[in-house]
Each structure stands twice: as C-alpha cells, then as structure tokens.
C-alpha cells in the first residue's frame, strides 16, 4: 500500500525542470523540483555527467519529502549550454529519470541492452593484467566494443562489453559463456591473489557502467590502504583528498570534502554515499580552477546520523577512494584507428613489452573506429620515459597514438582552511520544508 501511495504522489506531482541561461553570468542554471525519493540526487547528477556537462556549483535540499536542487553547469569548453535541442533533451532526460517510479528493490541507472554481453572483473592489479585479459578475449573471438578499467590501491576492476565476432551480437551460448568466465578467472588468479578474483557475466539488463565500477571496487574493499614494495605510495598532504565528518545537534552528520577538481567528481561522491545507504538532505558544491569544495548534511536511510567511530572512519575511507579511483594518474594516451578483432590485445601487449602499467582505460568503438584512452605509468608508478613513448608510437603509428596530457605535471591544489561550513550550516537550518512549500506555491 505504501508503494502504491508513493506512486500516486509522484504521478500527481510530476518533476519540474527549469533551465535558465540568464540567471548566471558564466554558467547555465538547472533547477530541479520534484517529490523526493531515495537515489533521486544520483539520478539527476548521472544525467548531467552522462551528457559530459561540468557541474561548477550546486545547492541541494531534500528535507520534508521534497527535492529542490540547483546546478550550475558548463560544457567541455567551459561555455553555457546554448543549443535548444540539447537543452530540451536535458530537460526531458531529467524529468523522465526523476519521475520514474521503481520498486524499493530497484536500482539506479539500469540500462537494458541486447547488443552485447557484459563482463565484470575484479582482482589484484599487476603489470600486464589488461593485456592478458584482452589476449584471452581475442583468442575466444570476443570483440571488445567498449570497456572501462579502473585501478586503485592495488586492486583492479573492469566492465567490458563484448560481442561475438561471427555474429556481431551478444554471446548467448551457455557453454561458451562458461569457458569465457573460467579462462578469465584463471588470468585474474595468476598473481596468487590473496583475495578472491571475480568474473561475472551480466544479464542483458546492465547497470550504469561507472556506477557498477564503484560498486565492484567497494565490494572488493579497495578503500583499505595497502603498500606494495617497489610501487610509489600515494602522496600525502595536499594532493590527497581531505574528508572530515562532524555530527551537529544529533540531527545530521556534516561531511566536508576538499580535493583537486575534475570531471564527474560529484557523481562519484553521490554514487558512493547512495550505495552506502546514506541520504543527502542538504549540500553545496563549489569548484575553482583547480580545487573543489563540497559539503553535505547526511543521515543513514534509517534516519540516524553516523554514531560510531568505526563507521566514521569507514565513510571517510570510502569517500577518499571514490575521489581517487577516477583520478587521472600518469600519462594520457589516445588511440584512434580502424577497429578490428584483437586490436586491444595487440596495443596492450606493446604497452606491456615496454614496461608500461595501465592505471585506467576507457575503450569505445563507433562506426568501425576505435577511440581508446589510456592512463599509463612505469612499473614503479612514476612518469614514463619520453623515449619509451616515442618507441611505442613508432610501433603503433604516430598518427594513431597521440600523447594528450601528463597529470604528474598538473598543479597541485592549495591547502586552505575554510569557514564555509558554519555559513552553510546556518543557511540550511533555515531552509525547511515549509520554506520550499511556500516557494512552490508561488512559482
């Protein structure tokens, strides 16, 4: 009965999205007004990040059963969103996503697909691991159409979408799927993994890929720091994200985060909080040229703030991991060439033979073209010798493989103290549900 009543409330109060290019001098302002539900903030942020929009500022409030958020966004070039078709599409996507009524067991970001088979991998990271995985898939006549690979804290996770090279469609034969799973598991266990290596073949309906990667690494406990001999430790100090937690008046736990700014940072943080069953009641996001500051007032879904020291430490560790997983570490290489079976296996083999470690990778194909991005370091985690890159480009092709960016040369965010938390604490306490109800009645 509760589910049916919730559905009725959402049908009567359809989401409203207002997109304004006049309210702010340097960004497009998107206001979302909707009945609140668990996960709605993630759904809205996911729509914005999937469209490669950068969120420069955000103000979040969802007290009293109503969700009313404001986002300042720009495109990849830092400009406002001017194209009317794009604006209409953003509005339609958010209204559809925020208004969708799912069961309580439903998940955020489910995207059905009959076109490919989704493979999920998790295990201990080591040099050459992606090369071995790609070689197995090529031998099994599996064509990689797109994939994303993350490494963090000595762990590796990947979501790989493959098709049958013969049919160009998803692989459905149970025997063949079993062989793929068995051989990939053998590769992941090849490093004497103390943890259990995992390979899973997903059903045709697959979750949002980046959210799934967060869940895989969270389940693999990558937030627990380890040190490996011969590998550069993560730098301490200002380059590490700074996360603090504070309980106020037994009502909320206040999380403040300061880190280097980058695309999709807000998505990664909200994704982790949602999967840990925390609700953001109030929040603000403010980004500069280098640094991002975020402040959230949260409770657990049971309505209580964080109450134990063990949980406080765990939340801090998980948020640090969420910020770091997608951090672009190393030299960025971009491959653009004709796609073919085994291309990824050949490219990653060349990287392995030249002692490169792939820290993160984004693989995509469209219209017969491969467009892949790799973030690489040497085996110790340090910058790659330019002579080695020149040699690799000579083997692969100078026009096919381009050097895009070296994150090790990027400026570090300055360490600064802030008093913003006190200001926004008073602001959020004043913005009650009654305030929003009044605003809505006059709008």
């Amino acid at each position: 009965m509760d589910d049916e009543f919730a559905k009725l409330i959402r049908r009567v109060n359809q989401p409203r999205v207002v997109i304004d290019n006049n309210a702010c001098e340097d960004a497009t302002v998107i206001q979302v007004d909707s009945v609140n539900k668990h996960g709605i903030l993630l759904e809205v942020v996911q729509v914005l990040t999937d469209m490669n929009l950068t969120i420069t500022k955000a103000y979040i409030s969802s007290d009293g059963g109503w969700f009313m958020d404001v986002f300042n966004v720009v495109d990849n070039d830092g400009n406002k969103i001017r194209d009317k078709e794009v604006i209409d599409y953003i509005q339609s996507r958010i209204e559809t996503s925020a208004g969708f009524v799912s069961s309580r067991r439903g998940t955020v970001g489910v995207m059905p697909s009959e076109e490919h088979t989704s493979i999920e991998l998790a295990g201990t990271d080591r040099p050459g691991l992606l090369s071995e995985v790609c070689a197995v898939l090529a031998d099994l006549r599996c064509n990689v159409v797109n994939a994303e690979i993350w490494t963090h804290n000595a762990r590796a996770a990947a979501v790989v979408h493959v098709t049958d090279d013969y049919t160009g469609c998803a692989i459905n034969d149970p025997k063949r799927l079993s062989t793929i799973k068995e051989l990939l598991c053998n590769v992941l266990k090849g490093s004497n993994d103390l943890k259990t290596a995992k390979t899973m073949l997903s059903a045709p309906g697959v979750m949002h890929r980046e959210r799934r990667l967060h869940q895989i690494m969270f389940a693999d406990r990558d937030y627990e720091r380890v040190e490996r001999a011969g590998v550069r430790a993560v730098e301490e100090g200002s380059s590490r994200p700074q996360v603090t937690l504070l309980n106020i008046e037994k009502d909320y736990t206040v999380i403040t985060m300061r880190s280097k700014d980058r695309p999709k940072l807000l998505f990664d943080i909200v994704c982790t909080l949602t999967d840990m069953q925390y609700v953001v009641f109030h929040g603000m996001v403010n980004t500069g040229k280098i640094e991002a500051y975020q402040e959230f007032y949260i409770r657990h879904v049971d309505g209580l703030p964080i109450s134990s020291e063990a949980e406080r430490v765990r939340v801090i560790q998980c948020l640090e991991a969420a910020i770091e997983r997608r951090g672009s570490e190393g030299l960025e290489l971009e491959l653009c060439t004709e796609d073919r079976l085994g291309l990824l296996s050949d490219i990653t083999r060349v990287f392995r033979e030249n002692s490169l470690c792939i820290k993160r990778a984004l693989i995509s194909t469209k219209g017969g073209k491969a467009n892949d991005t790799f973030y690489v370091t040497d085996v110790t985690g340090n910058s790659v010798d330019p002579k080695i890159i020149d040699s690799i480009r000579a083997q692969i092709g100078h026009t096919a493989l381009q050097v895009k960016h070296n994150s090790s040369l990027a400026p570090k965010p300055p360490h600064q103290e802030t008093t913003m938390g006190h200001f926004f604490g008073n602001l959020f306490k004043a913005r009650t549900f009654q305030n929003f109800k009044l605003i809505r009645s006059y709008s």
Side-chain angles (χ1 to χ4, degrees), residues 110-396:
V110 174
M111 301 190 304
S113 174
E114 300 287 347
E115 300 174 354
H116 56 252
T117 299
S118 181
I119 302 172
E120 298 175 356
L121 306 171
T124 298
D125 186 29
R126 69 174 189 274
L129 177 60
L130 180 59
S131 175
E132 295 176 38
V133 168
C134 294
V136 167
L137 293 174
D139 287 343
L140 294 170
R141 308 296 295 184
C142 297
N143 189 38
V144 178
V145 292
N146 58 71
E148 193 155 357
I149 300 94
W150 292 357
T151 66
H152 177 251
N153 199 24
R155 306 303 296 170
V159 175
V160 185
H161 295 166
V162 301
T163 58
D164 185 335
D165 184 52
Y166 297 109
T167 66
C169 300
I171 300 168
N172 298 313
D173 179 26
K175 185 176 181 180
R176 190 175 175 197
L177 291 173
S178 178
T179 301
I180 293 171
K181 185 173 182 178
E182 180 182 354
L183 293 180
L184 288 176
C185 258
N186 290 339
V187 169
L188 293 172
K189 291 177 180 176
S191 57
N192 297 318
D193 194 353
L194 297 178
K195 296 184 179 183
T196 304
K198 299 172 186 174
T199 303
M200 190 171 82
L201 303 174
S202 299
V206 294
M207 182 175 283
H208 187 271
R209 187 173 66 194
E210 294 165 348
R211 186 182 183 196
R212 188 66 191 126
L213 281 165
H214 277 298
Q215 292 178 336
I216 293 170
M217 299 208 86
F218 173 76
D220 211 25
R221 304 177 72 88
D222 74 310
Y223 52 85
E224 296 177 344
R225 296 217 159 263
V226 298
E227 298 294 339
R228 291 187 295 175
V231 177
R232 179 172 62 89
V234 177
E235 294 181 13
E236 297 296 330
S238 61
S239 62
R240 287 288 314 283
Q242 301 166 34
V243 182
T244 60
L245 268 68
L246 176 69
N247 281 9
I248 59 167
E249 300 177 4
K250 299 182 180 180
D251 289 330
Y252 300 103
T253 296
V254 183
I255 302 176
T256 58
M257 289 159 285
R258 187 184 293 277
S259 67
K260 180 180 177 182
D261 190 28
R262 60 166 175 80
K264 303 188 178 183
L265 177 62
L266 180 59
F267 171 83
D268 293 337
I269 290 170
V270 174
C271 183
T272 297
L273 288 173
T274 303
D275 284 336
M276 293 183 74
Q277 298 297 299
Y278 287 101
V279 179
V280 177
F281 285 89
H282 304 290
M284 62 81 60
V285 176
N286 191 22
T287 65
K289 292 182 178 179
I290 298 175
E291 191 179 51
Y293 177 87
Q294 303 189 50
E295 180 174 291
F296 297 133
Y297 286 58
I298 69 165
R299 296 187 197 127
H300 195 267
V301 290
D302 61 11
L304 299 175
I306 294 171
S307 57
S308 71
E309 177 63 17
E311 183 65 4
R312 189 188 74 84
V313 171
R314 181 170 173 266
V315 170
I316 290 175
Q317 289 178 333
C318 290
L319 289 173
E320 288 175 343
I323 294 169
E324 292 173 343
R325 284 173 194 143
R326 208 200 294 261
S328 301
E329 181 181 354
L331 184 69
E332 180 182 350
L333 301 176
E334 185 175 84
L335 176 74
C336 297
T337 189
E338 295 290 328
D339 189 33
R340 58 174 172 80
L341 178 68
L343 172 66
L344 197 55
S345 175
D346 293 341
I347 296 298
T348 52
R349 175 180 52 79
V350 172
F351 288 173
R352 185 191 69 213
E353 291 172 350
N354 285 273
S355 300
L356 296 192
C357 285
I358 299 172
K359 309 304 291 185
R360 190 163 65 91
L362 180 62
I363 311 302
S364 62
T365 60
K366 187 175 181 180
K369 295 281 187 180
N371 193 335
D372 306 338
T373 302
F374 304 92
Y375 296 88
V376 299
T377 66
D378 67 11
V379 291
T380 63
N382 293 310
S383 298
V384 182
D385 187 335
K387 294 180 180 178
I388 294 177
I389 296 299
D390 290 340
S391 174
I392 291 173
R393 292 185 67 203
Q395 295 178 65
I396 296 174

Side-chain angles (χ1 to χ4, degrees), residues 16 18 30-37 40-41 44 58-71 280-283 428 431-441 443:
R16 187 181 65 169
V18 177
I30 301 176
Q31 179 176 315
V32 183
D33 190 5
S34 173
V35 173
N36 192 27
K37 63 175 180 176
I40 188 172
L41 176 60
V44 173
Y59 304 93
I60 299 160
S61 187
S62 59
D63 251 346
W66 201 258
F67 175 87
M68 189 172 180
D69 290 8
V70 178
F71 303 91
V280 177
F281 285 89
H282 304 290
F428 288 142
R431 294 174 69 180
T432 62
F433 175 56
Q434 284 75 19
N435 296 135
F436 283 126
K437 195 171 182 181
L438 183 62
I439 292 169
R440 180 171 168 79
S441 65
S443 59

